[in-house]
Amino acid sequence: MSNIYKLTGTLQHYVWGGKDYIPTLLHIAKAEQYYAEYWLGAHSSSPSLIETNGSSQPLTEFLAQNPTALGAQSRALFGDGLPYLLKILDVKKPLSIQLHPTKKQAEIGFAAENDNKVDLKDPKRTYKDNNHKPEMMIALSDFWLLHGFKSKGKIIDTLKTRPSLTALCDKLATQDLHAFYADIMQAEQNQLETWLNPIINANQTAYQNNELTLDNPDYWVLYSMESMDIPADKLDAGLICFYLFNIVHIKPGEGIFQDAGIPHAYLRGQNIELMACSDNVIRGGLTPKHIDIPELLKVIDCREVEPQIIPPAPADKPVFTYSTPAKDFALENVNCRKGALIQSKSESATILLVMKGNVKIHEKSTALSLSQGESAFICANTAYEIEGVEDGYCVLAKLP
Ligand SMILES: [Zn+2]
């Protein structure tokens, strides 16, 4: 029996996605629709398909029938499910400002909503499962995001140079970040207009003429309003967050990790994302979806964050694992030069995605050929070789 199988992920057509990037990367025929995410994993809402003996079945079903494919350590720590989910994202329009709970918060929150009989599909439901959702990303293009609160000093510097926000600056001088943020999230529409309208009006021409730099929060306020169709009389409290959070530029190949409680929002670009298998998102603005303010304020981590950029995989290293604090997943980068052979052994269930080029994966006497956009599922405890057929690289999701 073989231990390496062809795997096909699922597409998510959320309206914030672009139309070309994902179909081009995956070499699939594109239709006139949005391609926001490509998922590789065993999330119950959208499992990948695994090809075994000429037929295909959901990876969830395969793992239920073959739990040893996960590996003993994975099963001991995470039970009989695949602990991670690998994604490709094409962020054309900004995503909501969000944060994710700790494992403990998720267990309590999930049980509480079950006790209160909130249906899992209810739009007001906050906890979809009982798991945490740490996540890491590696940029595939210039990528922009919001990530964590800036230091109080930096926030004050940003607010005091904008006349309509100096009142907020004075307010912050008397409050801690949590109380300050709580008041902003509960501000009335006319208050938001008092803060933001002068900025919107003063910068409209410069924005239209592309004269605002991307590290300027004013740019992102105008960009979000335009791309998300936010009307001037229905401002979103999340717009104020551009003045409070770090605006981070991740260059292609670099990455960043989102720990529990850290507020973040993907603004623009394409990336590879790897996360714990969970759908627990607590939203804090830039969204028409439900915002659970009491839960948001309970879970948000208002510590001052200095963004830690994950350095890119070195070009001269055949195998490189990105460093993150996550225990639920690890992302490995494999550079495959034409003709090179890389030997490896999977300690846990592994998903390989060819990002560029062409490879052959050998196991015992069998081989699986994969080209850009194609994937394989590798069972735990499998010795295998990756052969470069054409220069390129793969990413592998596994346990650390
Ligand atoms: Zn997130």
Side-chain angles (χ1 to χ4, degrees), residues 241-259:
C241 294
F242 288 111
Y243 302 95
L244 314 180
F245 298 166
N246 294 291
I247 297 173
V248 186
H249 173 207
I250 310 276
K251 299 192 193 80
E254 293 179 341
I256 196 163
F257 174 75
Q258 312 292 349
D259 209 347

Side-chain angles (χ1 to χ4, degrees), residues 147-151 154 246 256 262-263 301-308:
H147 171 80
F149 280 90
K150 297 195 278 197
S151 68
K154 283 185 185 165
N246 294 291
I256 196 163
I262 301 296
D301 185 336
C302 293
R303 86 179 105 125
E304 300 177 356
V305 173
E306 188 63 53
Q308 303 294 313

Side-chain angles (χ1 to χ4, degrees), residues 98-100 133 135 258 264 266 273 281:
Q98 54 183 256
L99 44 98
H100 310 298
K133 188 174 178 267
E135 56 195 13
Q258 312 292 349
H264 56 281
Y266 289 165
E273 206 183 24
V281 179

